[in-house]
Amino acid sequence: MSSIDKKVALIFGITGQDGSYLSEYLLSLHNYKIIGIMRRSSSFNTGKIDHIRNKIELVYGDISDTACVFELISKYQPDEIYNLAAQSHVAISFQLEKYTMDVDALGPLNILQAIRLLGLKDKCKVYQASTSELYGNTLNTHHLTSLDEHSPMNPVSPYAIAKLYAYHMVRHYRDAFGIFAVNGILQNHESSRRGDNFVTKKIVLWAKYKWFSTFQNKDIKNNTTLRGDREPLHIGKLDSSRDWSHAKDMVKGMWLILQSSTPEDYVLGSGVRTTVRTFIEKVIKAFGFTVEWKGSGLDEKGYIQNEVAIIVDSRYYRPNELSDLVGNPEKAKTKLGWKPEYTIDTLIEEMIENS
Ligand code: NAP
Ligand code: G4F
């Protein structure tokens, strides 16, 4: 296919976990020209996309800079925009309230306004990275078994409040101006490319590099000992649960959502909930060991071979905790034919192998 026939995809947030997998996925389809927007940073931030750099075009930009967003959209006239850019850490949003609002709420507005004011309504579709955080503790307060597109939204963090504004703006632009703008309401998704300070990656990095010592062999279960210089894991709420998928499965869903004949919002997730405690147990088991828990609350500790390995630490508690999330992806499965390939166990395997 010649470059003239290719669709132009503009990806905000290309240097992040999802941006890197989405780029790989679009490249595998062979009919996309990919323009990635990267932020200027004091050290290089392209580690997750360096392997595909010669197949994509990278430009500097910032989603909170209105003129910059207008100029980029005007210059590239994209067929599809994927907005994955965000201050994406929930706990940190309690310390960066306004910044999180500028990037996560007003950033998407810049994109929507540009499409409208540049007259690109019939040319350009836009995907907004919405989140299961929008629901807050609705599962508990409304006695629901899972979260779908109609579940009440009650955000409990500055991050979720900012994302809720963007979610509604996307729907507003769709209804008021006829723009093909859609929300993917995604449950948590992880991988070896996950940021190091999200809980799953933090646990995997600790196990692999701070507690266990593995030989250069794929059979880690039978080739692991304890490190001589091991350090315990400091962790927050052990009994919070999340619906963890692999990011590779999620980016395929993002693309499917944009290919639909009608613009609609979709929930993506595995439909399986796992607590932080169980995630830790599964990771430790993958190394061939078991953990024994003693105590409760802030006094609880995890022991491996009678040695303190996990310490509950209030530094990782949030001012307002979202304790339970599990999605119902039935609409995406039925209407889009979306089908995830990873399970929680194969996700953990991939994370341990490649982190
Ligand atoms: P991530 O790894 O933190 O990536 C975020 C991306 O946004 C990075 O490329 C980052 O650039 C970029 N970015 C941050 N501020 C920006 C700004 N002002 N202008 C332009 N780019 C900016 O997040 P992710 O896990 O891939 O998630 C992708 C999106 O999905 C985010 O919007 C997140 O909120 C949302 N989401 C994620 C999950 C999940 O479980 N992963 C679930 C639901 C929704 P740098 O590399 O320079 O930092
Ligand atoms: O890994 P987390 O920081 O992810 P969280 O807060 O669920 O947010 C992620 O998923 C959202 C979708 O639901 C995205 F919108 C968002 O951008 C991000 O990708 O924390 C998961 C759980 C929480 O309950 C947290 O309190 O783990 C608990 N936790 C316990 N100890 C910890 C820790 N979280 C972190 N980051 N670090 C801890 O030490």
Side-chain angles (χ1 to χ4, degrees):
M1 182 175 278
S2 81
S3 63
I4 295 168
D5 303 325
K6 287 188 173 179
K7 286 190 191 176
V8 174
L10 203 60
I11 304 180
F12 289 89
I14 195 163
T15 54
Q17 169 185 255
D18 293 5
S20 66
Y21 285 119
L22 177 67
S23 302
E24 283 175 4
Y25 183 63
L26 296 184
L27 286 172
S28 76
L29 300 175
H30 300 295
N31 63 337
Y32 279 92
K33 175 179 160 73
I34 299 172
I35 315 292
I37 315 304
M38 63 173 176
R39 290 195 294 178
R40 184 268 159 187
S41 70
S42 61
S43 49
F44 289 122
N45 55 0
T46 55
K48 292 173 187 153
I49 48 167
D50 279 341
H51 61 294
I52 50 169
R53 258 188 111 142
N54 59 352
K55 297 184 182 137
I56 60 182
E57 186 175 333
L58 286 179
V59 279
Y60 283 107
D62 193 300
I63 198 169
S64 64
D65 183 331
T66 306
C68 159
V69 171
F70 268 64
E71 194 177 6
L72 286 167
I73 294 176
S74 170
K75 177 174 176 191
Y76 291 104
Q77 302 270 312
D79 299 285
E80 297 176 3
I81 297 179
Y82 294 87
N83 178 31
L84 312 178
Q87 188 301 91
S88 69
H89 203 284
V90 174
I92 293 171
S93 77
F94 288 94
Q95 290 165 51
L96 296 177
E97 291 175 325
K98 179 175 179 294
Y99 173 75
T100 303
M101 184 61 76
D102 287 343
V103 176
D104 297 8
L106 301 181
L109 178 62
N110 285 334
I111 293 176
L112 294 164
Q113 282 189 329
I115 295 172
R116 175 165 67 89
L117 297 173
L118 292 168
L120 295 174
K121 157 175 121 55
D122 298 321
K123 156 99 174 137
C124 179
K125 298 178 179 183
V126 57
Y127 172 91
Q128 165 61 14
S130 282
T131 163
S132 46
E133 273 282 315
L134 301 179
Y135 299 111
N137 287 305
T138 282
L139 271 178
N140 293 338
T141 54
H142 288 67
H143 310 291
L144 300 175
T145 51
S146 63
L147 299 158
D148 66 20
E149 293 77 7
H150 306 292
S151 304
M153 293 176 172
N154 295 299
V156 294
S157 66
Y159 167 82
I161 292 166
K163 285 278 187 178
L164 186 61
Y165 174 88
Y167 164 87
H168 281 299
M169 271 300 175
V170 163
R171 293 169 68 92
H172 168 63
Y173 265 69
R174 187 161 83 208
D175 296 341
F177 305 115
I179 288 177
F180 195 114
V182 289
N183 290 291
I185 309 168
L186 270 52
Q187 302 284 329
N188 295 49
H189 44 282
E190 320 291 311
S191 71
S192 52
R193 296 185 195 166
R194 185 58 143 151
D196 293 352
N197 57 356
F198 293 90
V199 78
T200 56
K201 184 74 177 292
K202 178 174 162 177
I203 294 164
V204 167
L205 290 177
W206 163 78
K208 189 166 174 179
Y209 298 107
K210 295 273 170 72
W211 196 263
F212 297 115
S213 199
T214 52
F215 305 109
Q216 293 298 318
N217 188 320
K218 286 215 164 182
D219 183 13
I220 56 169
K221 219 173 193 164
N222 296 310
N223 284 288
T224 299
T225 57
L226 304 190
R227 288 176 69 91
D229 57 350
R230 56 198 173 274
E231 289 171 31
L233 171 71
H234 287 249
I235 200 83
K237 291 273 180 191
L238 282 169
D239 291 314
S240 284
S241 54
R242 290 292 185 270
D243 174 343
W244 279 301
S245 296
H246 197 292
K248 265 192 189 178
D249 283 330
M250 293 304 213
V251 302
K252 290 182 197 161
M254 293 176 189
W255 179 78
L256 281 171
I257 291 172
L258 264 199
Q259 309 317 306
S260 174
S261 53
T262 50
E264 290 176 43
D265 301 334
Y266 288 88
V267 166
L268 300 182
S270 73
V272 176
R273 63 153 71 70
T274 306
T275 60
V276 172
R277 181 191 301 279
T278 302
F279 194 93
I280 293 173
E281 289 167 355
K282 281 178 177 289
V283 170
I284 290 170
K285 193 171 169 214
F287 285 88
F289 288 78
T290 52
V291 58
E292 192 186 350
W293 302 101
K294 291 182 190 166
S296 62
L298 277 169
D299 294 324
E300 184 162 10
K301 292 186 177 53
Y303 294 78
I304 297 176
Q305 297 195 327
N306 296 321
E307 193 178 332
V308 176
I310 296 134
I311 296 172
V312 175
D313 188 330
S314 63
R315 277 182 302 162
Y316 299 104
Y317 281 12
R318 297 167 183 189
N320 209 356
E321 179 62 28
L322 198 173
S323 54
D324 187 22
L325 283 175
V326 65
N328 175 357
E330 214 37 54
K331 180 181 172 190
K333 286 186 171 171
T334 313
K335 288 189 84 166
L336 304 174
W338 179 68
K339 197 167 165 276
E341 285 172 19
Y342 282 83
T343 62
I344 183 80
D345 293 314
T346 55
L347 164 68
I348 289 173
E349 269 172 36
E350 191 279 325
M351 292 184 76
I352 293 175
E353 191 173 338
N354 298 320
S355 290

